[in-house]
Amino acid sequence: MGKRVALVLAGCGVFDGSEIHEASAALVHLSRGGAEVKIFAPNIEQRDVVNHLKGSPAEEKRNVLVESARLARGNIQDLAELKADEFDAVIFPGGFGVAKNLCSWAVDGKNCTVNEHVNSTLQAFHSAKKPIGLCCISPVLAAKVFPGCEVTVGQDKNIDGRFPDAETASAIAELGCKHICKNVNESHVDKANKIVTTCAFMCKAPLHEIFDGIGTMVQEVLKLA
């Protein structure tokens, strides 16, 4: 029987929601791994809405659950309804929506607050010793909620201009966590906490390399489940 995995989204679109390619990659690798997946998102208003064509703010309001339903093909539930005892693992794709809607990292950095349902979900899986997979910017959620854990967001220096957000690694370290430098096609496993992370679009890399890196994260999560 396949592993039961919850996938948590933060909207739809890299600049104000979940990164679509990351969410899709995670779903493809989970499907290939024989997992049974259910998708969730918090039923809250987005922090902002971005016109993805112009890259500028849009004067409108959108709901995270409603927007995430686009990626879930309508088959989605309110994150408040997620019960950790019904799943073997949970995965969070990245995208600015993680830093805007699931927590306030985009505004407050390491002093951010985490959405109550996101926090309770992470705590529930961690307490049950069930694996948590995170990619791109979403490892900051673990860094904030689990001081002392190990995560990766790629490199801690902007090597060859490929890691423009390398300072995130320093902020993670300031939270008392250990940042592990990894390439885009790799993931890091914190065995003690059962947290698996990969940098995805935190690295400027070809899409297939990002896809492969997310694949390693999913594979490690399923191994731990």
Side-chain angles (χ1 to χ4, degrees), residues 154-172:
Q155 300 290 327
D156 55 11
K157 295 181 178 59
N158 189 11
I159 301 168
D160 298 327
R162 298 176 75 229
F163 295 89
D165 301 303
E167 71 277 1
T168 304
S170 299
I172 286 169

Side-chain angles (χ1 to χ4, degrees), residues 1-5 30 33-37 88-89 221-225:
M1 184 175 175
K3 301 299 182 181
R4 300 163 301 168
V5 180
L30 284 165
E36 176 188 338
V37 182
D88 300 303
V221 166
L222 293 178
K223 284 180 189 176
L224 291 172

